[in-house]
Amino acid sequence: MLDIKLLREKPDFVRERLAARRGGDDAKVAEVLAEDERRRNALAETEKLKARRNSASKEIGALMAQKKAAEADAMKAEVRSIGDRIAELDREVADAVARRDDLLLSIPNLPHPSVAHGATAEDNPEIRRWGSPPAFPFKPLNHVALCEKLRLIDFARGAKLSGSGFLLYTGWGARLERALINFLLELHQNEHGYREVAPPYIVGEHCMVGVGQFPKFKDQAYAVQEGLDASTLGKLYLLPTAEAPVANIHREEILLGPDLPVRYVAYSPCFRAEAGAAGVGTRGMIRVHQFDKVELIKIVHPDSSYDELASMVRNAETVLQRLGLHYRVINLCTGDMGFASAMTYDIEVWAPGQGQFLEVSSCSNCEDYQARRMNLRFKDPVSGDNRFPHILNGSGTALARLFVALVETHQQADGSILVPEPLRPYLKADTIPAGS
RNA sequence: GGAGAGGUGGCUGAGUGGUUUAAGGCGCACGCCUGGAAAGCGUGAGUAGCUAAACACUACCGGGGGUUCGAAUCCCCCCCUCUCCGCCA
């Protein structure tokens, strides 16, 4: 969430930054400030009364010790009426805080000043391209045809088991998926300095709030309940990204300065309801309800967060370079950025069978927006103050679309798929044979 | 799921209704002492709110609610940890 002090001190600046976003509702600023004002007024009064009550209670104790019961009783009556007013004011404070915080939780992060103004994905500046689209001396197939021909994925039976949007990986397909997961984890751990963690795949609601998934995207999550006990519904959710548990690992802690930067890499499946997205580019593996992803998370000092973002993007790019896949990096404009992000780079890989770039990684600096929501702080070694660190997340990378680009790019004239050299130790094969 | 025990500051550990503004100890920071150190002595130190800032004040003893003039302490609900039992990959 945003810093309430920033809203108090520079409300016009906040309004202007919010207006630059798609869905940035700058009208909420005034509502937040009104609740904050109500809270402070009630708080000032209740604290004065509490000070009076505390001192009076001590006096009562002294009077009773001196056996002055009549005087003590008179004071008790006075304090009792103060107590009623305190209870009233405390309710007002609690109500104002609840309303203020509900509003704050629904306000997105402010875009970094350098982010390009724009409305849609059309306005995202392209930063760079790597490699070039492969040229085929034969008619290349798309991944759906390839997967069916090589029996990598059984789309029909996946849908039979769990409905459309769920994949059944089979044979070489399952092995390739597993090889990719291991390749990615080991790359980021061994070469890029991330610590590997394996998180729960079900997370509490507070974690979803912490990273900014909730309350806005509640309709996109799978809620789970315990058995038939519907009263447990709404407490636990299947994770839409490993960011949800991993970014929250240190929530409500005060990290020591030397602990930073913290860098984690985690594999997890990701579950997304994709409500309302049916029929939009849903053929094959491009948009599915469950996919695998290797996620990168960093918790860093505010001064170094943009350097850390740049290196995170390079870490994700390394994946595509090693696998010999053509890609481009774009910088999301104000209108296309995610809810919690101050700046986002997307990496899009070229899928020859689709004739388009597919997003396989999104690397964001959320600055202190998430840290504030999860009350994660660090002790600044210079000032000794407790401050909010910056939290970054990036896919390193999403697997389903990587799978698509890989098989489409490296398909051979004989129908086999050439396995890129760095992946061979993991798959224990040079090619996926045509007649598998 | 059942039974029992527990949750107090960075750690340890007192505290069953009123100078507790949470004792004592360990550890920490600073100072005195010393040639230097240790020991000793002294001082300080939690988190947040409020404030332009500071002082003061308020809140915080797992979380929430209640009783009371006053709650770490009494009552109720919940969460977590540990031990044993049951079930289980």
Side-chain angles (χ1 to χ4, degrees):
Chain A
M1 63 175 80
L2 299 178
D3 186 356
I4 182 68
K5 287 177 189 154
L6 181 66
L7 270 76
R8 267 186 224 146
E9 288 160 18
K10 298 179 178 174
D12 292 333
F13 168 76
V14 173
R15 270 190 274 263
E16 180 270 316
R17 293 274 75 203
L18 287 176
R21 266 179 177 279
R22 182 181 57 192
D25 184 359
D26 53 306
K28 284 181 179 165
V29 173
E31 292 179 58
V32 170
L33 291 175
E35 294 297 343
D36 187 52
E37 184 70 18
R38 185 161 76 92
R39 166 185 150 276
R40 281 194 290 168
N41 289 339
L43 191 64
E45 192 181 344
T46 192
E47 286 194 355
K48 259 184 221 164
L49 293 175
K50 282 177 183 174
R52 171 63 190 147
R53 180 177 69 182
N54 286 346
S55 63
S57 291
K58 275 184 191 168
E59 287 176 48
I60 291 170
L63 288 170
M64 289 176 73
Q66 296 164 38
K67 310 282 185 199
K68 295 179 179 173
E71 291 174 47
D73 285 347
M75 283 195 85
K76 280 188 193 179
E78 182 211 333
V79 178
R80 190 179 298 122
S81 70
I82 291 179
D84 293 343
R85 178 65 181 149
I86 287 173
E88 203 176 298
L89 287 164
D90 280 352
R91 273 194 298 275
E92 171 137 1
V93 171
D95 182 63
V97 168
R99 286 169 182 272
R100 183 194 70 177
D101 290 349
D102 277 354
L103 285 162
L104 275 176
L105 287 174
S106 70
I107 295 177
N109 201 359
L110 305 181
H112 188 275
S114 72
V115 171
H117 268 257
T120 69
E122 306 293 305
D123 303 317
N124 296 334
E126 183 173 316
I127 306 299
R128 58 180 168 267
R129 286 186 185 217
W130 186 88
S132 52
F136 296 96
F138 57 93
K139 185 169 169 51
L141 301 176
N142 70 33
H143 76 280
V144 177
L146 278 167
C147 286
E148 283 176 343
K149 203 171 161 193
L150 300 187
R151 298 208 297 161
L152 304 182
I153 296 192
D154 191 331
F155 291 101
R157 290 195 175 97
K160 180 173 75 176
L161 296 174
S162 307
S164 132
F166 288 93
L167 302 174
L168 173 65
Y169 293 78
T170 56
W172 282 101
R175 293 169 65 185
L176 176 58
E177 184 77 357
R178 178 162 55 87
L180 283 168
I181 292 167
N182 286 331
F183 164 68
L184 295 172
L185 283 172
E186 295 200 9
L187 171 67
H188 295 306
Q189 191 202 218
N190 298 335
E191 298 187 41
H192 297 155
Y194 294 79
R195 179 175 167 80
E196 184 174 342
V197 292
Y201 298 157
I202 295 177
V203 294
E205 183 181 26
H206 56 291
C207 289
M208 298 288 265
V209 172
V211 293
Q213 283 284 335
F214 285 4
K216 190 169 179 189
F217 300 112
K218 221 162 182 168
D219 60 336
Q220 295 301 324
Y222 285 100
V224 295
Q225 68 180 39
E226 289 178 17
L228 298 175
D229 184 356
S231 73
T232 62
L233 191 63
K235 293 180 179 168
L236 295 172
Y237 295 85
L238 293 182
L239 53 83
T241 158
E243 175 194 358
V246 178
N248 276 287
I249 286 174
H250 298 289
R251 62 177 292 123
E252 287 154 44
E253 293 181 19
I254 300 175
L255 299 172
L256 300 177
D259 292 342
L260 301 183
V262 175
R263 300 188 182 96
Y264 289 126
V265 57
Y267 155 76
S268 85
C270 301
F271 303 91
R272 299 189 180 179
E274 301 291 356
V280 185
T282 50
R283 176 109 175 102
M285 315 169 62
I286 310 285
R287 185 178 290 275
V288 286
H289 291 306
Q290 178 188 326
F291 62 94
D292 293 310
K293 182 157 61 65
V294 168
E295 182 77 359
L296 306 174
I297 298 289
K298 293 184 180 183
I299 302 169
V300 307
H301 192 285
D303 292 346
S304 62
S305 67
Y306 281 92
D307 290 340
E308 294 283 353
L309 178 63
S311 68
M312 179 181 270
V313 173
R314 285 198 300 275
N315 295 154
E317 286 181 67
T318 299
V319 169
L320 303 179
Q321 293 173 8
R322 296 273 173 97
L323 297 179
L325 300 174
H326 174 50
Y327 69 85
R328 66 177 183 177
V329 179
I330 60 178
N331 195 344
L332 298 192
C333 70
T334 53
D336 203 28
M337 285 200 321
F339 188 76
S341 177
M343 183 184 283
T344 299
Y345 290 96
D346 272 9
I347 302 174
E348 298 182 333
V349 68
W350 179 252
Q354 315 297 307
Q356 62 172 340
F357 286 102
L358 301 176
E359 178 192 332
V360 284
S361 178
S362 191
C363 298
S364 298
N365 184 359
C366 298
E367 298 192 353
D368 62 8
Y369 184 85
Q370 295 178 321
R372 207 171 244 112
R373 290 169 83 102
M374 59 181 76
N375 198 25
L376 164 61
R377 289 161 296 168
F378 76 101
K379 195 167 281 293
D380 192 299
V382 179
S383 64
D385 294 336
N386 293 328
R387 301 176 60 189
F388 293 105
H390 286 190
I391 298 179
L392 290 72
N393 69 83
S395 346
T397 62
L399 270 283
R401 292 174 185 173
L402 185 68
F403 192 111
V404 169
L406 190 79
V407 297
E408 290 185 355
T409 297
H410 294 304
Q411 60 182 301
Q412 304 296 301
D414 65 0
S416 69
I417 291 165
L418 186 68
V419 178
E421 202 280 325
L423 201 56
R424 291 176 190 174
Y426 297 95
L427 192 61
K428 297 185 172 61
D430 297 351
T431 60
I432 295 175
S436 56

